[in-house]
Amino acid sequence: METMVFDVGETITRDDRYWASWADWLEVPRHTLSALVGAVVAEGRDHGDALRLVRPGIDVAAEYHAREAAGRGEALGEDDLYDDVRPALAGLRARGVRVIVAGNQTPRAGELLRDLDLPADLIVTSGEWGVAKPRPEFFHRVLEVARAAPERILYVGDHPANDLYPAKAAGLRTAHLRRGPWGHLWADAPEVVAAADWRVDSLHELVALAEQD
């Protein structure tokens, strides 16, 4: 692989803080919202539906801006990264692999990720591109920035419908990561097994893959 592209939530970062901050803002127990996230995920629904179950009729975008205005908006720090992220990404770059982080996040999340100074050649979000996964246009943008032929690009993510299937449809190679609720829930689903070129439990396995390539 010449380029590896990584999803963000539950691939690069843990979502603990994200959902805990929403639960605190909506004044519900953190466990309640966490359980609802799991429920909507299991049903194949958008995870934002968990917020709508807690507060029917919520305008998620408006609440997001209200949180920012109140000084309780998005935050990302070193503790939000999975332990294998820095060494794995650094290992890939040391082996000549172009490393890109591109996921469904806000422009603010993109700023916060870049502030962490990750060993990546490019960090970009759907909010900055103006198009989100699983739309084909998102992966067209991935192809533009990857600087490699589709078959030499590996997209790594935990969510089959948002990461694996559309990346595969765009001609990219795919790695399904068994991490987070999405990654664990569908890890052994026949359609995931059939679509994934690789199935991994850690980003370190991708460094080993780069060494073999």
Side-chain angles (χ1 to χ4, degrees):
M1 295 295 104
E2 296 178 22
T3 302
M4 293 194 188
V5 187
F6 295 83
D7 172 46
V8 178
E10 293 303 334
T11 297
I12 297 295
T13 63
R14 302 166 58 101
D15 281 346
D16 308 49
R17 186 206 296 258
Y18 178 83
W19 291 114
S21 64
W22 268 113
D24 294 346
W25 177 257
L26 296 176
E27 298 182 335
V28 296
R30 293 180 176 184
H31 173 70
T32 297
L33 185 56
S34 179
L36 287 172
V37 171
V40 298
V41 167
E43 293 177 354
R45 296 162 57 183
D46 181 83
H47 61 254
D49 285 345
L51 302 176
R52 300 178 185 98
L53 288 170
V54 168
R55 184 181 290 177
I58 186 176
D59 183 331
V60 177
E63 288 296 324
Y64 173 88
H65 291 301
R67 287 180 54 194
E68 291 286 341
R72 296 173 60 183
E74 288 189 85
L76 280 173
E78 193 69 23
D79 290 346
D80 296 302
L81 299 175
Y82 276 99
D83 292 342
D84 57 359
V85 171
R86 284 195 182 278
L89 269 55
L92 289 169
R93 293 186 78 192
R95 288 159 178 79
V97 177
R98 180 170 170 79
V99 173
I100 296 173
V101 176
N104 276 358
Q105 269 73 35
T106 64
R108 175 59 178 157
E111 295 173 1
L112 294 168
L113 285 166
R114 288 187 288 271
D115 286 345
L116 291 176
D117 195 26
L118 294 171
D121 296 283
L122 176 68
I123 297 174
V124 66
T125 67
S126 60
E128 293 167 324
W129 273 348
V131 62
K133 298 180 292 183
R135 289 178 58 185
E137 293 85 354
F138 179 94
F139 291 92
H140 294 166
R141 297 299 301 270
V142 168
L143 285 165
E144 290 174 0
V145 300
R147 301 179 186 175
E151 65 274 12
R152 302 294 294 172
I153 304 168
L154 180 67
Y155 194 87
V156 184
D158 60 300
H159 197 301
N162 280 352
D163 301 325
L164 186 63
Y165 305 149
K168 193 76 171 180
L172 282 62
R173 308 296 292 278
T174 59
H176 183 249
L177 178 62
R178 186 187 181 99
R179 178 176 285 176
W182 293 266
H184 283 94
L185 180 62
W186 290 305
D188 298 318
E191 57 271 28
V192 170
V193 175
D197 293 293
W198 291 274
R199 297 159 63 215
V200 299
D201 295 317
S202 166
L203 300 186
H204 291 305
E205 295 177 53
L206 301 175
V207 180
L209 172 63
E211 291 174 342
Q212 298 169 11
D213 193 35

